[in-house]
Each structure stands twice: as C-alpha cells, then as structure tokens.
C-alpha cells in the first residue's frame, strides 16, 4: 500500500494526493490544505519554520488516521505534513478523506485537523518582518 | 558496577531554545524517572521552567507520565505544547 501518512520537506499537490486514494465506490472526497498566512495578530509574517520529531511525528499522525477510520464512515484518509523553512502561501498540511458519505467525509477531515493540533509533535515558528519569531 | 545510566535527551521548539541545543547525553542515577531527570535539567537550565508551562515527556517516542524508572539507552524527549496543522 502506498503511504497514507507523509512527513516531508517537499511540497505537495493536493489533487495528486486525492488521486492516490479515491475509490470508485465513494461519492465524497474532502480535501483540506493549510498554508502559511502572511499575518498573525496584526503582525506581518515573512515566513515560517516547521519542526517535526522524526519517527514520533509519523507515529502520532498514524494514530490520528486510525482514529478517523475507526470513528467515521470513511474509506481512506491521507495526511501529509511538511517541515522545514516555508514561505508565505506555501503548503503546510494536506488532508484528503474519501467516503461514500459527505457528512462523514467533512467530519473526519475536521477531526483530523483538530487532533493534529492536539497530539502530533510538530512545532511552527513564525518569522515576522520585524525580525521577531513566535 | 556503576550506579548511573546514560540516556539521550532531545529538545524541541521552546525547550530547545531554552537549552540551546537539540540533544544531549545525560548520566543519571539508576532508577531515576523522566520527571526526576526534568527536575535536574530545570536546575541546570532555569529557562526550561519558563520555556513551556506544560512540557510533555516522551520516552522512546511514546508519551509518558514520566514516573517510570528510565533504562540505560532510553531516549527522553521534552516536548512543549504542539502547534502543527
């Protein structure tokens, strides 16, 4: 089976990821892409560093995927998270959920992003144009 | 026979900034727990206390309550609150 959880410093194309998991039996595919935003709390952002914990990040993302597959009527989930130096507008996170049911596809996608923010060891540090980092 | 064990400690984000390095090799008394190790490190690096209100401890890449005795060669990671997504 192709990878369903990816942690990479390479960019991704959400359409290509979608094509990797779409099933002919499914009528709903929900995709989510998080990108680096150019402003946070009124301050202009110039870029972002994303750090992961090699091994544990993949392991925790797999737990999120397993939970989604267990809790929702979905066929497949693919999650990709980038690390490294990113610029404004760059992709950070991609989630693709395929399901026979649109409600479960939306709910599972939302569940994945919420759980990633809770348990997956990834840290983002925004760089501001003022030179500050947060 | 030595009464010490050696563990690798890894730091990320705010804990890395506080300590100034991504990892260190640390000798600790045999039977010490991860939280005892954290206490030792906080004494050595007071910034660790300020770095993160809630440091999560992982032992060998599994979240840990930190109250089990560590083993020689363990990898202990001090994880500040995560911010992915």
């Amino acid at each position: 089976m192709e990878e369903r959880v990816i942690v990479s410093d390479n960019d991704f194309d959400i359409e290509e990821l979608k094509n990797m998991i779409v099933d002919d039996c499914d009528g709903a595919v929900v995709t989510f892409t998080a990108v680096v935003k150019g402003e946070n709390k009124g301050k202009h952002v110039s870029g972002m560093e994303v750090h992961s914990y090699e091994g544990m990040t993949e392991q925790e993302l797999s737990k999120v995927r397993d939970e989604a597959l267990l809790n929702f009527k979905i066929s497949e989930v693919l999650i990709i998270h980038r690390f490294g130096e990113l610029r404004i507008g760059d992709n950070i996170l991609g989630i693709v959920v395929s399901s026979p049911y649109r409600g479960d596809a939306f709910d599972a996608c939302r569940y994945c992003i919420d759980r990633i923010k809770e348990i997956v060891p990834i840290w983002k540090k925004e760089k501001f144009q003022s030179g500050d980092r947060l | 026979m030595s009464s010490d064990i050696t563990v690798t400690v890894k730091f990320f984000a705010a804990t890395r900034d506080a300590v100034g390095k991504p990892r260190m090799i640390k000798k600790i008394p045999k039977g010490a727990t991860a939280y005892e190790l954290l206490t030792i490190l906080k004494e050595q690096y007071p910034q660790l206390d300020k770095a993160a209100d809630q440091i999560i401890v992982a032992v060998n890449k599994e979240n840990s309550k930190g109250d089990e005795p560590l083993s020689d060669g363990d990898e202990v990671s001090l994880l500040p609150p995560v911010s992915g997504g």
Side-chain angles (χ1 to χ4, degrees), chain B residues 46-78:
Chain B
Q47 312 91 299
L48 260 183
D49 234 352
K50 301 173 198 163
D53 295 336
Q54 297 171 315
I55 293 175
I56 295 169
V57 174
V59 178
N60 299 326
K61 299 181 179 174
E62 291 285 350
N63 288 328
S64 165
K65 290 180 180 171
D67 54 1
E68 296 285 328
L70 294 169
S71 301
D72 193 51
D74 275 351
E75 178 178 297
V76 181
S77 302
L78 303 186

Short mmCIF file of all heavy atoms in Angstrom, two decimals, chain B residues 46-78:
data_model
loop_
_atom_site.label_atom_id
_atom_site.label_comp_id
_atom_site.label_asym_id
_atom_site.label_seq_id
_atom_site.Cartn_x
_atom_site.Cartn_y
_atom_site.Cartn_z
N PRO B 46 17.47 26.95 34.14
CA PRO B 46 16.25 27.54 34.70
C PRO B 46 15.27 28.04 33.63
O PRO B 46 14.07 28.10 33.86
CB PRO B 46 16.78 28.71 35.53
CG PRO B 46 18.21 28.38 35.81
CD PRO B 46 18.70 27.60 34.64
N GLN B 47 15.82 28.35 32.44
CA GLN B 47 14.94 28.82 31.36
C GLN B 47 13.92 27.75 30.96
O GLN B 47 12.89 28.07 30.38
CB GLN B 47 15.76 29.20 30.11
CG GLN B 47 16.95 30.08 30.37
CD GLN B 47 18.21 29.24 30.61
OE1 GLN B 47 18.28 28.46 31.55
NE2 GLN B 47 19.21 29.43 29.78
N LEU B 48 14.24 26.50 31.23
CA LEU B 48 13.32 25.42 30.87
C LEU B 48 11.96 25.60 31.55
O LEU B 48 10.93 25.28 30.98
CB LEU B 48 13.89 24.07 31.29
CG LEU B 48 14.57 23.20 30.25
CD1 LEU B 48 14.99 21.88 30.87
CD2 LEU B 48 13.68 22.96 29.04
N ASP B 49 12.00 26.11 32.78
CA ASP B 49 10.77 26.31 33.53
C ASP B 49 9.88 27.33 32.84
O ASP B 49 8.66 27.19 32.77
CB ASP B 49 11.12 26.81 34.94
CG ASP B 49 10.47 25.94 36.00
OD1 ASP B 49 9.67 25.08 35.64
OD2 ASP B 49 10.79 26.14 37.18
N LYS B 50 10.54 28.37 32.31
CA LYS B 50 9.78 29.45 31.66
C LYS B 50 9.41 29.08 30.23
O LYS B 50 8.49 29.64 29.65
CB LYS B 50 10.62 30.73 31.64
CG LYS B 50 11.04 31.22 33.00
CD LYS B 50 12.00 32.39 32.84
CE LYS B 50 12.78 32.64 34.12
NZ LYS B 50 13.97 33.46 33.90
N ALA B 51 10.18 28.15 29.65
CA ALA B 51 10.02 27.87 28.22
C ALA B 51 8.65 27.33 27.88
O ALA B 51 8.09 27.65 26.85
CB ALA B 51 11.09 26.89 27.76
N ALA B 52 8.12 26.51 28.73
CA ALA B 52 6.83 25.90 28.41
C ALA B 52 6.12 25.56 29.71
O ALA B 52 6.70 24.95 30.59
CB ALA B 52 7.04 24.65 27.58
N ASP B 53 4.88 25.99 29.80
CA ASP B 53 4.11 25.72 31.01
C ASP B 53 3.88 24.23 31.18
O ASP B 53 3.88 23.72 32.28
CB ASP B 53 2.75 26.43 30.94
CG ASP B 53 2.92 27.93 30.95
OD1 ASP B 53 3.96 28.37 31.45
OD2 ASP B 53 2.03 28.63 30.45
N GLN B 54 3.67 23.57 30.07
CA GLN B 54 3.31 22.16 30.15
C GLN B 54 4.22 21.34 29.24
O GLN B 54 3.87 21.06 28.10
CB GLN B 54 1.86 21.96 29.72
CG GLN B 54 0.87 22.67 30.63
CD GLN B 54 -0.52 22.63 30.04
OE1 GLN B 54 -0.71 22.88 28.85
NE2 GLN B 54 -1.48 22.30 30.86
N ILE B 55 5.36 20.98 29.76
CA ILE B 55 6.25 20.12 28.99
C ILE B 55 5.72 18.69 29.04
O ILE B 55 5.44 18.16 30.11
CB ILE B 55 7.69 20.17 29.56
CG1 ILE B 55 8.29 21.56 29.34
CG2 ILE B 55 8.57 19.11 28.90
CD1 ILE B 55 9.65 21.75 29.97
N ILE B 56 5.55 18.12 27.87
CA ILE B 56 5.15 16.71 27.80
C ILE B 56 6.42 15.88 27.62
O ILE B 56 7.31 16.23 26.85
CB ILE B 56 4.19 16.48 26.62
CG1 ILE B 56 2.89 17.24 26.87
CG2 ILE B 56 3.91 15.00 26.41
CD1 ILE B 56 1.98 17.31 25.67
N VAL B 57 6.48 14.78 28.37
CA VAL B 57 7.64 13.92 28.30
C VAL B 57 7.31 12.71 27.42
O VAL B 57 6.24 12.11 27.56
CB VAL B 57 8.05 13.45 29.71
CG1 VAL B 57 9.18 12.43 29.63
CG2 VAL B 57 8.46 14.64 30.56
N ALA B 58 8.23 12.40 26.52
CA ALA B 58 8.11 11.16 25.75
C ALA B 58 9.34 10.32 26.02
O ALA B 58 10.45 10.84 26.10
CB ALA B 58 7.99 11.47 24.25
N VAL B 59 9.12 9.03 26.19
CA VAL B 59 10.24 8.11 26.37
C VAL B 59 10.21 7.13 25.21
O VAL B 59 9.19 6.46 24.97
CB VAL B 59 10.13 7.35 27.72
CG1 VAL B 59 11.28 6.35 27.85
CG2 VAL B 59 10.14 8.33 28.89
N ASN B 60 11.31 7.11 24.47
CA ASN B 60 11.40 6.26 23.27
C ASN B 60 10.22 6.51 22.33
O ASN B 60 9.59 5.59 21.81
CB ASN B 60 11.51 4.79 23.65
CG ASN B 60 12.75 4.52 24.48
OD1 ASN B 60 13.78 5.15 24.28
ND2 ASN B 60 12.65 3.62 25.45
N LYS B 61 9.91 7.79 22.16
CA LYS B 61 8.89 8.27 21.21
C LYS B 61 7.47 7.89 21.57
O LYS B 61 6.58 7.89 20.72
CB LYS B 61 9.24 7.82 19.78
CG LYS B 61 10.57 8.39 19.33
CD LYS B 61 10.94 8.02 17.94
CE LYS B 61 12.28 8.67 17.59
NZ LYS B 61 12.83 8.29 16.33
N GLU B 62 7.24 7.56 22.85
CA GLU B 62 5.88 7.32 23.33
C GLU B 62 5.63 8.30 24.48
O GLU B 62 6.49 8.46 25.35
CB GLU B 62 5.73 5.89 23.87
CG GLU B 62 5.80 4.80 22.80
CD GLU B 62 4.53 4.72 21.96
OE1 GLU B 62 3.52 5.37 22.30
OE2 GLU B 62 4.57 4.01 20.93
N ASN B 63 4.44 8.91 24.47
CA ASN B 63 4.11 9.81 25.57
C ASN B 63 4.19 9.05 26.88
O ASN B 63 3.80 7.89 26.98
CB ASN B 63 2.70 10.38 25.39
CG ASN B 63 2.65 11.41 24.29
OD1 ASN B 63 3.62 12.12 24.05
ND2 ASN B 63 1.54 11.49 23.59
N SER B 64 4.69 9.73 27.91
CA SER B 64 4.93 9.06 29.18
C SER B 64 4.45 9.95 30.32
O SER B 64 4.50 11.18 30.22
CB SER B 64 6.43 8.79 29.32
OG SER B 64 6.75 8.47 30.65
N LYS B 65 3.99 9.31 31.40
CA LYS B 65 3.66 10.09 32.59
C LYS B 65 4.93 10.53 33.29
O LYS B 65 4.91 11.39 34.17
CB LYS B 65 2.80 9.25 33.54
CG LYS B 65 1.39 8.99 33.04
CD LYS B 65 0.61 8.16 34.02
CE LYS B 65 -0.80 7.89 33.50
NZ LYS B 65 -1.51 6.91 34.32
N GLY B 66 6.03 9.90 32.93
CA GLY B 66 7.32 10.32 33.48
C GLY B 66 7.63 9.74 34.83
O GLY B 66 8.63 10.12 35.45
N ASP B 67 6.80 8.81 35.31
CA ASP B 67 7.02 8.30 36.67
C ASP B 67 7.61 6.90 36.70
O ASP B 67 7.73 6.29 37.76
CB ASP B 67 5.71 8.34 37.47
CG ASP B 67 4.57 7.62 36.75
OD1 ASP B 67 4.80 7.07 35.65
OD2 ASP B 67 3.45 7.60 37.30
N GLU B 68 7.97 6.37 35.54
CA GLU B 68 8.59 5.04 35.49
C GLU B 68 10.11 5.20 35.47
O GLU B 68 10.63 6.12 34.85
CB GLU B 68 8.16 4.32 34.20
CG GLU B 68 6.69 4.01 34.12
CD GLU B 68 6.29 2.85 35.01
OE1 GLU B 68 7.11 1.95 35.21
OE2 GLU B 68 5.16 2.90 35.54
N PRO B 69 10.84 4.29 36.13
CA PRO B 69 12.31 4.37 36.07
C PRO B 69 12.81 4.25 34.64
O PRO B 69 12.30 3.43 33.86
CB PRO B 69 12.76 3.17 36.91
CG PRO B 69 11.60 2.81 37.75
CD PRO B 69 10.38 3.18 36.98
N LEU B 70 13.76 5.07 34.31
CA LEU B 70 14.33 5.02 32.96
C LEU B 70 15.34 3.88 32.87
O LEU B 70 15.86 3.42 33.89
CB LEU B 70 15.01 6.36 32.64
CG LEU B 70 14.07 7.56 32.53
CD1 LEU B 70 14.87 8.86 32.49
CD2 LEU B 70 13.19 7.43 31.29
N SER B 71 15.59 3.45 31.64
CA SER B 71 16.58 2.40 31.40
C SER B 71 17.77 2.98 30.65
O SER B 71 17.63 3.99 29.93
CB SER B 71 15.96 1.27 30.55
OG SER B 71 14.86 0.71 31.21
N ASP B 72 18.89 2.31 30.81
CA ASP B 72 20.09 2.74 30.10
C ASP B 72 19.82 2.76 28.60
O ASP B 72 19.24 1.82 28.05
CB ASP B 72 21.23 1.76 30.42
CG ASP B 72 22.58 2.30 29.99
OD1 ASP B 72 22.91 3.44 30.34
OD2 ASP B 72 23.30 1.57 29.29
N GLY B 73 20.17 3.86 27.93
CA GLY B 73 19.98 3.97 26.49
C GLY B 73 18.65 4.55 26.08
O GLY B 73 18.41 4.75 24.88
N ASP B 74 17.79 4.85 27.03
CA ASP B 74 16.49 5.43 26.68
C ASP B 74 16.66 6.80 26.00
O ASP B 74 17.62 7.53 26.26
CB ASP B 74 15.62 5.62 27.94
CG ASP B 74 14.85 4.36 28.31
OD1 ASP B 74 14.86 3.40 27.52
OD2 ASP B 74 14.27 4.35 29.41
N GLU B 75 15.67 7.12 25.15
CA GLU B 75 15.61 8.45 24.54
C GLU B 75 14.46 9.20 25.20
O GLU B 75 13.31 8.78 25.10
CB GLU B 75 15.35 8.32 23.03
CG GLU B 75 15.22 9.66 22.30
CD GLU B 75 15.01 9.47 20.80
OE1 GLU B 75 15.93 8.93 20.15
OE2 GLU B 75 13.94 9.85 20.30
N VAL B 76 14.80 10.27 25.90
CA VAL B 76 13.79 11.06 26.61
C VAL B 76 13.64 12.38 25.87
O VAL B 76 14.62 13.07 25.62
CB VAL B 76 14.23 11.33 28.07
CG1 VAL B 76 13.16 12.13 28.80
CG2 VAL B 76 14.49 10.01 28.79
N SER B 77 12.41 12.71 25.53
CA SER B 77 12.18 13.95 24.78
C SER B 77 11.30 14.89 25.58
O SER B 77 10.31 14.47 26.17
CB SER B 77 11.52 13.64 23.44
OG SER B 77 12.34 12.75 22.72
N LEU B 78 11.68 16.15 25.58
CA LEU B 78 10.90 17.19 26.28
C LEU B 78 10.16 17.99 25.23
O LEU B 78 10.75 18.78 24.50
CB LEU B 78 11.83 18.07 27.11
CG LEU B 78 12.70 17.33 28.14
CD1 LEU B 78 13.47 18.33 29.00
CD2 LEU B 78 11.86 16.41 29.02
#
